[in-house]
Amino acid sequence: AVCASPATVTSNNITVVIDPVLCPVGFYMPTAFTPDNNGKNDVCKPVLFGNVVSYKFSVFNRWGQKIFETTDLQKGWNGATPGLHTDTNTYVWLCTYQFEGGAVENRKGTVLLIR
């Protein structure tokens, strides 16, 4: 077998510059989800493209009761609500977020939970 000699190799530093103008920025929210633990579409949460500096996502039932809230971009509503039965129904969501260098934005809508 042939071994490399020397065993270590060094190189100049490489700098990668990402042009923020070319990076996508946006907001997407699905209109329905199926929290049946099959690994597909089990969690309701918006998808944000860009550098988010503030975020809050809330879900309300038809009586206006807040049943879920998070400030963690990775977490979403799994359809469960302690003390309440959540069946197939339409729920209201509100999302307040801010991209780096942008204004605070508010989005709201409805999502259909399908059991």
Side-chain angles (χ1 to χ4, degrees), residues 31-86:
T31 56
F33 76 114
T34 56
D36 54 8
N37 294 319
N38 70 351
K40 298 176 185 174
N41 204 24
D42 288 329
V43 177
C44 172
K45 69 177 185 170
V47 177
L48 285 89
F49 303 98
N51 189 13
V52 179
V53 295
S54 69
Y55 171 81
K56 182 165 67 169
F57 175 63
S58 307
V59 178
F60 303 85
N61 65 16
R62 63 183 174 187
W63 295 283
Q65 296 170 305
K66 187 185 303 178
I67 56 176
F68 176 80
E69 184 171 84
T70 185
T71 57
D72 184 341
L73 279 167
Q74 304 305 315
K75 293 185 179 176
W77 181 45
N78 65 1
T81 304
L84 297 174
H85 175 70
T86 52

